[in-house]
Amino acid sequence: MSTPSMTLFHNPASPFVRKVRVLLIETGQQDRVALHDCVPTPVSPDAQVVQGNPVGKIPALRLADGNMLHDSRVILDYLDHQHVGNPLIPRDGSARWRRLTLASMADGILDAAVLTRYELALRPVEKHWAAWLDEQRHKIRRTLAELEQGAMAELASHFDIAAISAACALGYLDFRHPDLQWRADNPRLAQWYAEVSQRPSMLQTQPPA
Ligand code: BEZ
């Protein structure tokens, strides 16, 4: 085992962190990165994370030279350039833009799901904004429907940036929003997820019970 040369500022519940950890495992780089646990919330950033990362985002990756990379998309791109296997983000051509757009759709699900989680878990009940919460749920459902109807063959073709992002998004819905019951309207996504969620990279990065 090599000594880790990079530090990943990390929270095991964060689906954005999970994408990075899945890519590290899929590309055989997990021993290169030490994990630094932090528990930032929208109102209390981690003191170490904000050094070189003023927005306080996690994941953030401190490189051997001290430079800090953020957010998950930048880190994934960086790490995909640090291994010798097949790239998990196509380097150019139409495949690059399509796979990144699918990944962005999955990230959109995550943005809506994480914001919803903050609203429901951190804000007092009397301040919950029902119309806003409804629209976040609509966003999630619309995007799932688009993946279900238009992207299953692409997601199933290989476990790359698009598939990793989609798998982490579905895993987060199970973790924080089981009430959405996303499988009911999306049987092909459900079948695909049942398979990819058994990959070692997904099993080793499951959110806390
Ligand atoms: C969560 O607990 O759901 C969470 C934690 C960190 C980042 C995003 C979400």
Side-chain angles (χ1 to χ4, degrees):
M1 196 200 281
S2 55
T3 311
S5 60
M6 299 178 270
T7 302
L8 182 66
F9 291 88
H10 150 274
N11 179 292
S14 164
F16 297 103
V17 167
R18 190 178 189 190
K19 290 191 302 171
V20 172
R21 294 189 61 210
V22 169
L23 182 132
L24 282 170
I25 295 169
E26 292 287 339
T27 58
Q29 300 187 78
Q30 62 271 43
D31 293 345
R32 303 182 59 208
V33 173
L35 297 179
H36 173 96
D37 255 322
C38 39
V39 193
T41 76
V43 289
S44 63
D46 180 292
Q48 283 198 46
V49 176
V50 293
Q51 289 169 22
N53 172 14
V55 184
K57 286 194 171 198
I58 62 161
L61 184 70
R62 193 169 58 211
L63 305 182
D65 65 5
N67 276 318
M68 192 81 118
L69 299 186
H70 56 84
D71 54 5
S72 65
R73 296 183 206 199
V74 176
I75 296 170
L76 290 168
D77 203 356
Y78 174 81
L79 291 173
D80 198 38
H81 281 79
Q82 307 303 313
H83 66 99
V84 293
N86 286 334
L88 297 188
I89 305 174
R91 295 284 189 260
D92 47 37
S94 59
R96 176 175 174 80
W97 311 119
R98 177 61 181 164
R99 303 309 287 192
L100 286 174
T101 299
L102 289 173
S104 169
M105 287 166 65
D107 283 354
I109 292 174
L110 280 181
D111 289 336
V114 169
L115 289 175
T116 298
R117 165 72 184 164
Y118 286 157
E119 176 82 359
L120 294 177
L122 299 179
R123 290 194 97 201
V125 171
E126 67 276 11
K127 293 191 173 161
H128 288 178
W129 184 3
W132 183 87
L133 282 167
D134 279 350
E135 178 50 22
Q136 300 312 309
R137 288 194 197 97
H138 289 320
K139 256 187 224 184
I140 293 170
R141 291 195 197 285
R142 280 197 306 267
T143 310
L144 289 173
E146 176 78 18
L147 293 175
E148 170 84 7
Q149 285 154 28
M152 285 321 305
E154 290 168 289
L155 289 181
S157 66
H158 46 294
F159 201 66
D160 70 343
I161 184 72
I164 289 173
S165 304
C168 291
L170 297 174
Y172 189 75
L173 295 182
D174 280 349
F175 176 47
R176 290 299 192 204
H177 303 289
D179 53 302
L180 278 179
Q181 300 191 0
W182 63 267
R183 287 174 180 78
D185 293 328
N186 302 287
R188 284 177 292 178
L189 265 180
Q191 190 186 353
W192 172 77
Y193 182 67
E195 286 165 28
V196 296
S197 61
Q198 296 308 303
R199 294 177 76 92
S201 62
M202 292 294 290
L203 291 173
Q204 287 170 36
T205 59
Q206 279 178 333

